[in-house]
Amino acid sequence: MWRKVIEDHGSGRIENQSQDFKALFCYINHLAKHKLGYPVSLLTYLGIVDNQELGIKPGSLANVLLNNVGDPFKDSETSLMEVKVHERKLISILEKYYGLNEDQARGYVTTGGTEGNFAGLWWSKRYLINRSLDKLIKTDDVIKLQTKEEQELMTALAKISTNAYQERMLHLQKIIDIRNAITENKNIVQQLLTPTVFYTQGHTHYSVPKIAEILRLNIRSVTPEDDGSMNLNILKREILLHLSAHPYSSIIVIANIGTTITGAIDYVPGIKKVLDEVQAKVNYTIHMDGALSGFVLPVLKPFGEVHNYFDELGVNTLAVSAHKYPGLSQPCGIVLARKEFFDKAFEKGERNIDYVGNILDVTITGSRSGLNVLMFYNALCTFKLDKTTDVLKNMVDENIKMAKYLQQELIKLYGKEQVLYPYHFNVIFPKPSKDLAKKYQLMITGDRATICVLTNVKKELVDQFIQDLKAEKEKAMTENTTNLELTIDTLKETHAKSAVNLFVKSFCDSEPITKHLNIRYADYQPFAEEVINKAIKDGMSKVALDKNGRVVACVIAEDMADPFVPKLSHYPKLRPVFALLDELSKPFLRKKTFIKGKIAHVWIAVVDPNYRGQGLSTMVDTACGDMEARKGYDFVYAEFTNPLSEKIINQYNLYQLCNKVNYNTFTYEGDKPFSGLEGEAASYIIVIRPGVKLDSLDRCYKVAEKY
C-alpha cells in the first residue's frame, strides 16, 4: 500500500518530492478508477469540468479529490483517497521545529486561522472540563442528594399542621437553606462547564469572540499596551477579579503571536507566570494565536532561547495560518497541540464515524483538503525544515531588512513621529488616498495604513509605492493651492507690508520661544521689517498669496556668505533668541568663510493660522528650495525652533543633523531664559541639487587658519 511506501522513508526528509508525488498520483489514480461507495462524482478527474483555465493540469494531484476526513492519526479503513501520511509527516516536522519530543504533537491542517482558533478553544474547553470531571461528578451527586432531600422536606412540610407556626417556620428555613445549597452547587457546575477566555482588546483576532459565542465560553477583554501586546498587570487584575466572583472557573488565555496591525507578540512566559501566581492549582490553558508570526516563532526567538515552545511556555495549543507565512496559494493553516493535552481532551468521547472507514473526528470541518496538506508539506520540504532553519531564517531576515528599508523611505516623506515600525514585518504610516490603498491593498485602520512586508515585497515594489506616494502628495499640494486660490511668488516690495504683518503675528502668537519670552507685536515689528527688507533685496524668498494678494505663507532665505546681521539695540527683548541661534549654529559656522552661491540659509517659515495643516509650509519651502537649486545652490542650512517646522526636512533625500540645543538647559548671561519650555532647537544641512553628495560640502567654504 502507498502508506507503507511513505512510512518506509522513516523520519528523514523525502529527497525527491516530484517522484514522490508522481508515485502518489499513480496510487490515487488507481483508487479513483475503482471508487464506488462514497458520494463524490470526481467531475474534474473525469474532465467533465475542465480546470485547465485555472492552471490545473489534468493528470495532476490538484485535479483529483483528496479528502482527509477527521483525525490525521487515524487512517480511514475504506475511504482511501486521502493523504494523511503526508499530514502526519508534516506534523512530525513541525513537532521537531517547535521542540516537542517525537510523537508528542497532535493536530491537523485547517482552512486557516479562524478554524485553528476554533479547534484550539474547543479542545481547550474539553480538556479543562475533563480535568474537572471528578469535581463535576461529585458536585452533581451532591445536587442529586440535595434535590432528594428538598423533596423529602416538601413532603414532610405537608404533614405539619398549619397551626404549628414555629415548627413550620423551622421547616421552611431548612427548605430555603437546601435550595440555596442546590443553587450554589449548580453555580459551581456552571463554572466548571464554562471556561472563561481572556483576550487582548482590539488586537486579538476577530474570530475569538465569535468562537466563544458558539462554544458558550465566557469572555473577558484585557487592555493592551501601546504596541498592541497584552498588558500583563491588567491581565492579573482581571483574573483576580474574575476568580473572586467565580472561584471554580477554568481559564483560557489567548496569546497573540503577531497581531494583525502592529505585529505585537504577547510575552507568553509572563502570561504563564501570572496564571501560576494568581491562585493555587487554577485550572488553565494557553492558546497561541500565531496566525502570522507563529510559523516563524522559533526563528524570531521573541522569548530568547526556548527548546520546547509548548512545555516551557505552558502552552497547549497553537494555530498558524500557512497562507500568511510561509505564504501558500490557498487559505490554510495548522492547529497543533501537545499529545498529553489532546488525549485528555478526548479521553471520554470517541467520535468514530463508520461510513467513512471508522475514522476518529476531532476536527471542526470533518472533510479537509488533501491538496492543502500536500502544498504545506511541499513548502516544509522546500525549506528543509526537518533538518535546518537556515533557509527560513534567511527569508525572515530579508523580510525584516526590507521592512526597515520601507520604514526609512516613509520617514523621508512623513517624519519619524508619523511612521511606526513596532515589530518585524509591519510598518504603519498616515493613510494615503483610497485609490492608492486599493492599488497596493493596504490595511486601513482609522487614519493609519499598515504594510506587512513579507517575501513578495521586493525593493522594486517598495520604490514603486514610494514614487506613487510622492506623486500623490505633490498632486494634493497642487490641488490645495488651486482649491484655495493661492499663487506662489518670489517675495517682492509689493508683498512687504502683508509679509511683515504675517511675520509679527505668527511669531508672537504661535512660536514657542517668542511666546515664552512674552514678546509683543511692538517689540518684534522692527526685527520683522529689517528681515523682510533684506529678503526682498536678496530675491531668494518665497510667499504664498491668496486671491486678494495677501501673504498667507512665507519662507525667508539668504546666502550663507551674506547673512542677516541683527541690530539688537532695535529689539533688545530678542537677545536670548539670537543667543540661542548663535549657540545652535556654532558647530557649523566655526572657522568657516562661505563661498557665495553655494549654501542657502533658510531660517524663517511662517503660515497664516487659517491655512495651517494644508501643506502650505511644505509647498512654499519646496518652491524656495527649487529656486535656490536652479540658481546653482547645492545645499541649504536651516534652523528649526519648533517640531512642526522641523518635519520639512523629510521632503529631502539627503540631510544631516548639525546640532541640537535643549531649551530647558540653555544658558544666556548666567540665566536660563527658556526654563520650563519643553523641546529643543535643531539645525540641519540639506542637499537640494540632484547628484550632489554630502561629502562635497567642504567645497562650499574655506576654513580659517586662525580662529
Side-chain angles (χ1 to χ4, degrees):
M1 294 293 287
W2 168 250
R3 296 190 187 96
K4 184 75 166 55
V5 174
I6 292 290
E7 287 163 352
D8 283 347
H9 284 274
S11 60
R13 182 174 71 90
I14 297 174
E15 296 298 330
N16 193 331
Q17 287 153 243
S18 62
Q19 292 302 316
D20 170 55
F21 292 146
K22 285 178 181 177
L24 174 61
F25 177 73
C26 290
Y27 172 67
I28 294 296
N29 186 48
H30 170 76
L31 293 174
K33 288 179 179 178
H34 293 82
K35 187 202 74 66
L36 290 175
Y38 293 98
V40 287
S41 296
L42 301 181
L43 293 182
T44 58
Y45 173 78
L46 296 172
I48 296 171
V49 173
D50 189 354
N51 279 335
Q52 290 190 79
E53 288 292 325
L54 304 177
I56 299 173
K57 297 179 181 179
S60 69
L61 287 167
N63 204 49
V64 64
L65 176 70
L66 299 172
N67 187 7
N68 279 18
V69 182
D71 188 354
F73 289 84
K74 179 67 171 69
D75 289 332
S76 172
E77 295 172 3
T78 56
S79 181
L80 304 179
M81 293 177 67
E82 62 182 19
V83 286
K84 287 186 178 178
V85 172
H86 291 79
E87 194 166 12
R88 290 195 293 272
K89 181 66 179 173
L90 185 160
I91 291 169
S92 73
I93 293 173
L94 294 178
E95 172 183 75
K96 178 182 176 183
Y97 176 59
Y98 289 109
L100 285 162
N101 293 328
E102 186 177 352
D103 196 36
Q104 289 305 301
R106 290 295 181 266
Y108 70 94
V109 173
T110 65
T111 55
T114 295
E115 186 184 350
N117 287 336
F118 203 146
L121 292 179
W122 175 42
W123 295 351
S124 294
K125 180 178 180 179
R126 290 182 58 93
Y127 167 80
L128 292 169
I129 290 174
N130 284 342
R131 281 197 67 186
S132 304
L133 207 54
D134 290 342
K135 177 68 175 175
L136 275 165
I137 292 170
K138 287 179 182 178
T139 307
D140 188 58
D141 288 343
V142 170
I143 291 171
K144 288 175 182 176
L145 290 172
Q146 289 172 332
T147 303
K148 183 180 179 183
E149 184 180 349
E150 180 196 10
Q151 292 170 349
E152 291 171 350
L153 286 169
M154 290 298 295
T155 302
L157 179 64
K159 297 177 181 179
I160 299 173
S161 171
T162 55
N163 296 326
Y165 300 117
Q166 186 68 23
E167 186 179 355
R168 286 182 69 84
M169 183 181 71
L170 293 173
H171 203 85
L172 283 169
Q173 186 61 51
K174 289 181 181 179
I175 292 172
I176 292 170
D177 290 343
I178 198 67
R179 284 180 175 175
N180 287 340
I182 291 170
T183 300
E184 185 177 339
N185 282 317
K186 284 184 176 180
N187 182 264
I188 291 171
V189 169
Q190 187 62 32
Q191 290 180 46
L192 293 170
L193 289 174
T194 314
T196 297
V197 177
F198 289 81
Y199 72 101
T200 309
Q201 186 177 29
H203 292 272
T204 293
H205 193 262
Y206 65 84
S207 66
V208 169
K210 172 177 65 178
I211 295 164
E213 181 183 350
I214 296 169
L215 292 176
R216 295 187 177 182
L217 299 168
N218 293 323
I219 191 162
R220 288 180 74 123
S221 62
V222 178
T223 303
E225 300 281 8
D226 290 341
D227 65 356
S229 63
M230 182 176 283
N231 185 313
L232 299 187
N233 290 327
I234 294 178
L235 170 66
K236 186 172 185 176
R237 185 192 71 190
E238 290 295 325
I239 290 176
L240 287 171
L241 287 170
H242 174 70
L243 291 176
S244 66
H246 310 282
Y248 297 95
S249 175
S250 297
I251 289 171
I252 305 169
V253 178
I254 306 290
N256 293 318
I257 309 299
T259 57
T260 303
I261 301 301
T262 66
I265 294 177
D266 289 338
Y267 187 57
V268 184
I271 293 173
K272 181 180 186 299
K273 185 179 179 184
V274 166
L275 289 164
D276 287 340
E277 289 177 351
V278 290
Q279 183 173 312
K281 297 183 179 178
V282 62
N283 199 17
Y284 76 82
T285 184
I286 300 171
H287 169 70
M288 290 199 298
D289 180 2
L292 172 60
S293 301
F295 184 74
V296 291
L297 186 61
V299 172
L300 295 174
K301 301 182 186 295
F303 317 125
E305 286 297 330
V306 176
H307 300 292
N308 186 317
Y309 279 88
F310 285 79
D311 294 347
E312 291 180 38
L313 301 180
V315 169
N316 279 320
T317 51
L318 165 66
V320 168
S321 294
H323 58 278
K324 293 180 178 176
Y325 216 117
L328 304 185
S329 60
Q330 297 296 315
C332 70
I334 193 161
V335 58
L336 295 173
R338 293 167 61 245
K339 182 179 183 296
E340 180 184 358
F341 160 91
F342 187 84
D343 290 345
K344 185 70 177 178
F346 289 96
E347 69 178 355
K348 300 296 181 182
E350 287 289 318
R351 291 170 176 266
N352 289 336
I353 314 300
D354 290 338
Y355 82 90
V356 285
N358 199 32
I359 61 96
L360 178 66
D361 189 18
V362 295
T363 69
I364 299 297
T365 54
S367 290
R368 298 177 294 106
S369 169
L371 180 60
N372 284 350
V373 170
L374 295 182
M375 287 194 298
F376 201 168
Y377 171 69
N378 187 45
L380 297 188
C381 291
T382 301
F383 293 141
K384 303 178 182 178
L385 204 58
D386 59 329
K387 295 183 180 297
T388 178
T389 61
D390 289 351
V391 177
L392 188 58
K393 185 179 184 305
N394 289 339
M395 183 179 290
V396 171
D397 288 346
E398 185 61 30
N399 298 156
I400 293 174
K401 178 182 176 182
M402 196 52 57
K404 290 179 178 177
Y405 173 70
L406 171 63
Q407 176 203 15
Q408 293 304 314
E409 292 300 302
L410 287 169
I411 284 174
K412 293 176 184 177
L413 287 176
Y414 295 104
K416 288 183 179 179
E417 298 84 1
Q418 294 294 316
V419 180
L420 304 177
Y421 176 44
Y423 295 101
H424 307 121
F425 311 120
N426 290 24
V427 185
I428 305 169
F429 58 102
K431 179 177 69 175
S433 69
K434 187 178 289 186
D435 288 342
L436 215 56
K438 284 183 177 181
K439 178 178 179 179
Y440 290 99
Q441 302 161 66
L442 308 180
M443 293 187 287
I444 303 298
T445 50
D447 61 352
R448 313 289 289 172
T450 300
I451 290 176
C452 190
V453 181
L454 298 179
T455 307
N456 68 293
V457 182
K458 305 299 183 186
K459 185 175 182 296
E460 293 76 16
L461 181 57
V462 171
D463 290 342
Q464 179 187 335
F465 172 69
I466 294 296
Q467 285 302 116
D468 283 356
L469 208 53
K470 285 180 179 178
E472 181 176 272
K473 290 190 75 176
E474 290 170 3
K475 181 181 177 184
M477 287 181 194
T478 303
E479 288 176 352
N480 277 343
T481 307
T482 303
N483 294 338
L484 295 170
E485 299 184 59
L486 301 178
T487 56
I488 306 296
D489 199 358
T490 301
L491 177 63
K492 300 171 185 171
E493 186 67 41
T494 54
H495 311 136
K497 183 177 179 180
S498 181
V500 168
N501 287 337
L502 175 64
F503 194 0
V504 171
K505 289 180 180 179
S506 293
F507 273 84
C508 291
D509 295 344
S510 304
E511 183 66 23
I513 58 174
T514 314
K515 286 181 67 180
H516 189 80
L517 295 174
N518 197 27
I519 305 294
R520 301 185 183 279
Y521 290 178
D523 303 321
Y524 206 83
Q525 181 89 12
F527 168 64
E529 289 175 350
E530 290 177 16
V531 168
I532 295 298
N533 288 336
K534 180 179 184 299
I536 291 170
K537 292 176 183 177
D538 291 343
M540 296 176 63
S541 302
K542 285 287 185 179
V543 291
L545 307 171
D546 67 10
K547 60 183 179 182
N548 297 317
R550 184 172 65 92
V551 176
V552 295
C554 180
V555 171
I556 303 297
E558 61 185 10
D559 195 309
M560 282 296 293
D562 181 24
F564 174 82
V565 179
K567 298 173 183 176
L568 295 176
S569 60
H570 295 179
Y571 25 85
K573 287 189 177 181
L574 290 178
R575 289 180 188 274
V577 174
F578 283 101
L580 174 73
L581 293 175
D582 288 344
E583 181 68 21
L584 183 65
S585 298
K586 272 183 184 177
F588 183 69
L589 299 180
R590 187 183 292 124
K591 298 184 180 182
K592 297 183 180 73
T593 301
F594 292 95
I595 299 171
K596 192 172 180 61
K598 289 296 183 182
I599 304 177
H601 179 208
V602 176
W603 63 303
I604 292 170
V606 289
V607 177
D608 187 300
N610 296 320
Y611 289 84
R612 287 174 190 167
Q614 302 182 59
L616 256 188
S617 179
T618 300
M619 194 185 311
V620 179
D621 187 271
T622 302
C624 186
D626 289 345
M627 179 172 69
E628 317 312 354
R630 287 195 300 273
K631 289 183 176 183
Y633 287 87
D634 294 333
F635 300 94
V636 158
Y637 176 71
E639 300 110 337
F640 302 97
T641 53
N642 70 66
L644 290 175
S645 58
E646 189 176 346
K647 289 181 180 180
I648 193 69
I649 64 168
N650 297 306
Q651 302 299 316
Y652 299 94
N653 291 325
L654 291 175
Y655 55 86
Q656 181 176 293
L657 177 69
C658 297
N659 193 23
K660 284 195 174 185
V661 175
N662 187 280
Y663 295 135
N664 254 314
T665 59
F666 171 70
T667 303
Y668 170 65
E669 294 184 349
D671 191 18
K672 293 183 178 179
F674 304 110
S675 178
L677 180 63
E678 295 298 321
E680 53 194 5
S683 59
Y684 292 84
I685 189 73
I686 304 165
V687 176
I688 60 171
R689 222 151 62 97
V692 174
K693 303 295 183 183
L694 279 166
D695 58 13
S696 65
L697 181 63
D698 57 3
R699 301 174 190 170
C700 300
Y701 55 79
K702 297 177 181 178
V703 179
E705 295 182 3
K706 294 182 180 181
Y707 183 67

